[in-house]
Amino acid sequence: MPDRDRHNIEPTPAPWPTARVMLLVCAGWLALSWPWLSGAVTIPWDAKAHFHPQLQFLASALHKGLSPFWTPFVFAGSPQVADPQSLIFSPPFFLIALLNPTPDFRWSDGALLGALLVGALCLVLLFRDRGWHPAGAVVCALSFAFGAAAAWRIQHVGQVLSLSYFAVTLLLLSRALERSSWRYGFAAGLAAGFMVLGRDQVALLGVYVLVGLVLAAVAMADKPLAALRASVVPLLLGALGAIMVATVPILLTAVLAEESNRPVIDLAGAGKGSLHPGSLLTGLIANLYGASGPLDNFWGPPSPAWEKRFGPLDLYLARNMGELYLGLLPILLVVGVGIVRGALLRREIVALSAAALIVLVFALGRYTPGFALLFHLPGIDFYRRPADALFILGALLAILGGYLTHLVLTDTAPRPRRWQIALETLLLLAGFGLAIWLAWTIGRLHVAFVPLVTAALCLMLVAGALVAARGLALQDAGMAATVILAIAMIVDLSVNNGPSESTALPAGHYEVLRADSSNETIALLKRETARTAGPDRRDRIELAGIDFHWPNASLVHGLDNTLGYNPLRLGLYSAATGAGDHVALPDQRTFSALMPSYRSLLADMLGLRFIATGVPVEEIDKRLKPGDLVQIARTKDAYVYENPRALPRVLLVTEAQAADFSAILKGGQWPAGFDPRRTVLLDKAPPLPTGPAQAGSVRIRNYGTTEVLLEADAPRGGFVVLNDVWQPWWQVEVDGKPAELMRANVIFRAVQVPPGRSTIRFVFRPLDGLYHAIGERIRKANPPPV
């Protein structure tokens, strides 16, 4: 040391302990993930009701040698290839599907938690690249993976994946710009492409944040023009990588969206998904409003208890959508060192600080005037919840909290003045005081008591840990300081953001979604559909009003279902049948003009043979009369009925007539005397008949996911009607030659066959359909001169 002082030689900085920090983060991840990885609990709600059945279908299709691009098991057929939530284009889940034909809950939960770990480790590397303190990297990584929406909304699988890709892209993009590397640029583009494939609001906001950070990096460089020139090649290669990954799936989704049930969201509609300012208190006091326990305990905005005291809010948010808790340490540092002392305005971090502020304004939605301006950004009107921005906000605050930890442990944080210390103390007391006042005013102080005490204890824990860590860091014991803060973060997050009713339920609750389930209702439906199967029959079932996770059980067990659970459905099918997002509750099974009851011609044409309901079916369908359906069983879960009038899946008819499908849909009236066994309705003038009518037959030779092979014997020709939902990406061949696929009987498919025996092949070709759709749009945009 004396020699260094005498010769004015700076000490050589210690190498950044990458491996040890990553191991520490992995250990923290394992400790915090263990309840799910052990199988004791599983990620509930959408993760099981929607995404796990999608994974099961994907795995089953791949291992059977079938294409997963279309499924017949929900909504009488659905184009999985264009569904943003099908998991087909999600590398971690696709890999699981390749490895395991029947992945259980631990596989799907592990894939999701593993994706968060990858994002967390990328942020560790981001800190290493900048030479920031390892303790800051650990604080950031654990906050990112187990804080805010990543923890409280982990059941929203697609958005969690988008968040993970955001962290990966941020690392690769920063390296591309800092090193002027086309390789990192291309890799960043690939990662961004997979993020965009989520086709959700988290991905969209992530893109806007990344674009803003790139622009800020160029503008704030010492030589902006030189920085811009050095960034051109990496950014162009990044754009190329993103285009390669995302273009086709996004175009498929865009085309599907035009014919789907999904409307564009207006400003007022989006405002109903705003984050209430009162929810910001959850950044200081986790579970303040009782979001983790029984629903009756929840008293935060927009609960009935809150609205009873403060008036209607007109917000539509689940109780876990307003939770912002990242761990007490990063939040205290952001408010105190970052905002009050101004550290977040430093040049090296100010762009991220600005991004976090803008994302917060977006999340607050209608509670700030800024949202009305941000709402005009392209793509925003596709999504209904500004509060979804808490995913990206949590990531940004985690980075800021980690950076501020670095400043404190390296003794480079701004020195506090007396008024700043007083203001920090006042803000902390005000937060606790406001929380206590709200709980007392609404009459829920008994619910808030434990969270308030827990927050006070965690405050002492993290304050003591930070003081100890700073002392060790200043004595060149940086790794010991890192371990202390890691332990404090793990304890804090396990206590406050650990398993709850919102994020973890017993795996047995979802037993019906296991591929090897012994559920008696499912076993009964499998037996009955096998019993009634025939050369021309493939009967459908319906699962209505049983429980939230039941509608998509058909994807797991290979049962052709008229309903399912998905926010995105074919608009034509929804209009014809009344199919909604899901049918968890009896009153969510709505009917339509064309299908006003289970006792209707459309229900028969769908081949809806077996109906399982959580309550007596008359409580769901009040038009039913005695004898319309026959009850065949009463299981533990459901009442099971049979519709004896269900028609075969394929029909050979000899007559055709034109019909106004729009009028039929609107009025619910079929043409007088219409009998689908004899006549097919077409949306245009029918082809000329091939000869006098004569009875024939048609049978199913092979029924796959994206291919249906039929054999017809039509002595005088006629029309083969396939009672599967019509969608323009399907094509048909007769005896190996392309034929015209006709939209039949409003929502089904038909093809004309010549006299004699024929082989008919219906095949799903989405890329051909996309090419045709794009061509049609180009022709409409550039009509030929008259």
Side-chain angles (χ1 to χ4, degrees):
M1 183 69 72
D3 289 341
R4 276 200 196 103
D5 292 340
R6 185 168 56 246
H7 297 289
N8 197 28
I9 298 175
E10 292 293 330
T12 303
W16 213 87
T18 307
R20 284 179 289 169
V21 172
M22 285 192 164
L23 284 173
L24 188 56
V25 169
C26 288
W29 172 85
L30 183 61
L32 292 168
S33 300
W34 187 246
W36 293 273
L37 298 178
S38 68
V41 293
T42 192
I43 302 171
W45 309 112
D46 281 21
K48 292 299 167 290
H50 184 44
F51 290 99
H52 187 78
Q54 299 280 3
L55 174 62
Q56 289 276 23
F57 168 74
L58 176 61
S60 176
L62 293 176
H63 285 268
K64 290 178 180 177
L66 299 173
S67 168
F69 286 179
W70 179 275
T71 180
F73 302 134
V74 287
F75 299 111
S78 184
Q80 296 285 94
V81 69
D83 185 349
Q85 302 177 103
S86 68
L87 302 179
I88 292 173
F89 300 105
S90 170
F93 285 92
F94 191 85
L95 179 61
I96 284 176
L98 282 176
L99 295 174
N100 189 342
T102 56
D104 63 16
F105 301 152
R106 282 186 292 184
W107 281 75
S108 54
D109 292 354
L112 191 57
L113 291 163
L116 285 171
L117 174 62
V118 170
L121 294 177
C122 283
L123 294 180
V124 169
L125 294 177
L126 188 73
F127 272 62
R128 187 193 70 172
D129 289 352
R130 280 152 179 72
W132 293 344
H133 199 283
V138 171
V139 169
C140 169
L142 295 177
S143 294
F144 168 84
F146 298 98
W152 286 91
R153 294 181 59 186
I154 193 171
Q155 71 271 27
H156 293 139
V157 172
Q159 292 176 308
V160 173
L161 290 174
S162 295
L163 177 68
S164 299
Y165 289 126
F166 171 77
V168 176
T169 307
L170 181 62
L171 169 69
L172 296 173
L173 188 59
S174 67
R175 288 186 171 186
L177 297 179
E178 291 164 1
R179 306 177 189 187
S180 190
S181 167
W182 67 265
R183 292 180 179 85
Y184 277 114
F186 183 68
L190 294 177
F194 283 113
M195 178 178 72
V196 170
L197 282 182
R199 289 159 280 186
D200 53 50
Q201 188 165 220
V202 175
L204 180 64
L205 294 176
V207 168
Y208 280 125
V209 168
L210 292 169
V211 169
L213 293 176
V214 169
L215 294 176
V218 172
M220 295 173 64
D222 294 333
K223 297 179 179 179
L225 289 179
L228 179 61
R229 285 194 295 270
S231 303
V232 168
V233 172
L235 292 177
L236 286 177
L237 268 294
L240 176 62
I243 289 170
M244 288 173 57
V245 169
T247 299
V248 172
I250 287 177
L251 287 176
L252 287 169
T253 301
V255 172
L256 175 66
E258 293 181 0
E259 58 183 72
S260 76
N261 62 295
R262 295 289 281 177
V264 172
I265 309 299
D266 60 16
L267 180 61
K272 295 179 180 180
S274 302
L275 178 72
H276 190 277
S279 297
L280 296 180
L281 282 173
T282 62
L284 177 66
I285 306 163
N287 197 34
L288 169 64
Y289 299 119
S292 69
L295 184 59
D296 290 343
N297 280 355
F298 178 62
W299 60 276
S303 68
W306 184 285
E307 293 185 334
K308 182 179 179 180
R309 178 63 180 84
F310 297 111
L313 294 177
D314 195 25
L315 293 178
Y316 294 93
L317 295 174
R319 53 182 157 154
N320 62 340
M321 290 182 177
E323 293 294 322
L324 187 56
Y325 194 78
L326 288 160
L328 206 50
L329 177 61
I331 286 295
L332 290 177
L333 291 177
V334 166
V335 174
V337 179
I339 297 175
V340 175
R341 303 185 201 176
L344 290 181
L345 297 179
R346 292 188 176 184
R347 183 176 180 179
E348 62 183 342
I349 204 69
V350 68
L352 278 168
S353 303
L357 177 61
I358 294 170
V359 173
L360 174 60
V361 168
F362 184 93
L364 290 169
R366 70 183 185 203
Y367 293 104
T368 67
F371 179 69
L373 297 176
L374 296 171
F375 189 75
H376 294 292
L377 291 171
I380 296 297
D381 58 359
F382 288 150
Y383 303 102
R384 61 188 178 186
R385 282 192 300 260
D388 286 353
L390 285 189
F391 281 96
I392 298 295
L393 180 62
L396 295 174
L397 290 177
I399 298 171
L400 296 178
Y403 167 75
L404 295 169
T405 302
H406 151 73
L407 294 186
V408 171
L409 266 60
T410 55
D411 202 27
T412 54
R415 298 292 180 186
R417 300 178 180 178
R418 288 183 179 178
W419 69 268
Q420 290 173 328
I421 295 175
L423 181 57
E424 290 170 11
T425 304
L426 180 62
L427 288 174
L428 182 61
L429 293 175
F432 276 92
L434 179 58
I436 293 170
W437 178 81
L438 286 171
W440 176 77
T441 300
I442 297 176
R444 294 300 179 94
L445 193 56
H446 62 287
V447 177
F449 177 77
V450 171
L452 286 164
V453 172
T454 302
L457 293 174
C458 285
L459 177 61
M460 291 187 283
L461 169 69
V462 299
L466 185 60
V467 169
R470 184 174 183 273
L472 288 169
L474 295 180
Q475 296 175 24
D476 292 329
M479 201 60 211
T482 302
V483 171
I484 285 178
L485 289 187
I487 293 172
M489 288 292 298
I490 292 169
V491 172
D492 183 357
L493 292 171
S494 65
V495 169
N496 291 297
N497 283 5
S500 70
E501 191 174 296
S502 293
T503 62
L505 288 176
H509 181 72
Y510 296 101
E511 197 273 339
V512 72
L513 298 180
R514 296 177 60 92
D516 60 352
S517 171
S518 59
N519 181 272
E520 62 174 322
T521 305
I522 294 297
L524 173 67
L525 292 172
K526 286 181 175 180
R527 288 196 306 270
E528 290 299 304
T529 52
R531 175 182 64 83
T532 61
D536 59 348
R537 298 195 72 95
R538 185 181 167 99
D539 289 328
R540 288 191 168 97
I541 60 104
E542 182 166 305
L543 305 169
I546 303 175
D547 204 345
F548 182 72
H549 59 281
W550 269 76
N552 277 353
S554 52
L555 280 168
V556 178
H557 300 292
L559 293 165
D560 290 8
N561 192 352
T562 55
L563 298 178
Y565 173 27
N566 200 325
L568 183 67
R569 304 172 305 285
L570 294 175
L572 173 64
Y573 185 77
S574 292
T577 63
D581 283 13
H582 51 72
V583 280
L585 301 174
D587 60 358
Q588 290 170 337
R589 196 346 171 172
T590 57
F591 294 93
S592 66
L594 194 58
M595 188 176 170
S597 167
Y598 290 124
R599 182 66 167 92
S600 62
L601 183 56
L602 183 56
D604 298 343
M605 294 164 71
L606 282 166
L608 177 52
R609 185 72 173 264
F610 302 103
I611 301 162
T613 58
V615 296
V617 72
E618 295 82 5
E619 296 183 24
I620 294 177
D621 183 357
K622 302 189 185 317
R623 291 181 177 232
L624 286 175
K625 296 181 177 60
D628 284 347
L629 298 177
V630 179
Q631 183 174 342
I632 62 173
R634 171 69 171 104
T635 67
K636 178 182 177 182
D637 305 293
Y639 299 82
V640 184
Y641 301 87
E642 181 174 2
N643 170 23
R645 298 168 304 276
L647 292 175
R649 182 66 59 93
V650 292
L651 297 164
L652 176 67
V653 301
T654 55
E655 300 175 9
Q657 70 180 70
D660 184 344
F661 287 172
S662 297
I664 294 174
L665 270 174
K666 184 176 180 180
Q669 296 295 320
W670 299 98
F674 169 61
D675 182 351
R677 298 174 186 83
R678 295 186 294 103
T679 304
V680 61
L681 303 179
L682 304 175
D683 59 353
K684 58 184 177 181
L688 293 174
T690 56
Q694 186 172 332
S697 63
V698 61
R699 72 182 186 92
I700 302 171
R701 199 169 90 186
N702 184 55
Y703 194 101
T705 51
T706 56
E707 180 177 321
V708 178
L709 193 62
L710 310 176
E711 288 183 348
D713 182 7
R716 301 288 186 177
F719 301 87
V720 168
V721 179
L722 175 61
N723 285 324
D724 283 349
V725 66
W726 180 87
Q727 204 272 341
W729 297 345
W730 280 90
Q731 298 178 8
V732 65
E733 300 169 356
V734 177
D735 294 329
K737 298 178 182 179
E740 180 185 5
L741 177 67
M742 295 178 280
R743 180 177 158 195
N745 300 340
V746 182
I747 65 169
F748 301 114
R749 310 175 206 156
V751 62
Q752 187 176 22
V753 294
R757 295 181 180 274
S758 302
T759 298
I760 303 100
R761 178 172 176 256
F762 291 89
V763 59
F764 184 62
R765 294 190 174 115
L767 296 182
D768 288 356
L770 176 62
Y771 177 80
H772 177 76
I774 292 174
E776 284 293 312
R777 283 155 182 76
I778 293 174
R779 283 190 288 273
K780 288 180 180 179
N782 301 278
V786 179

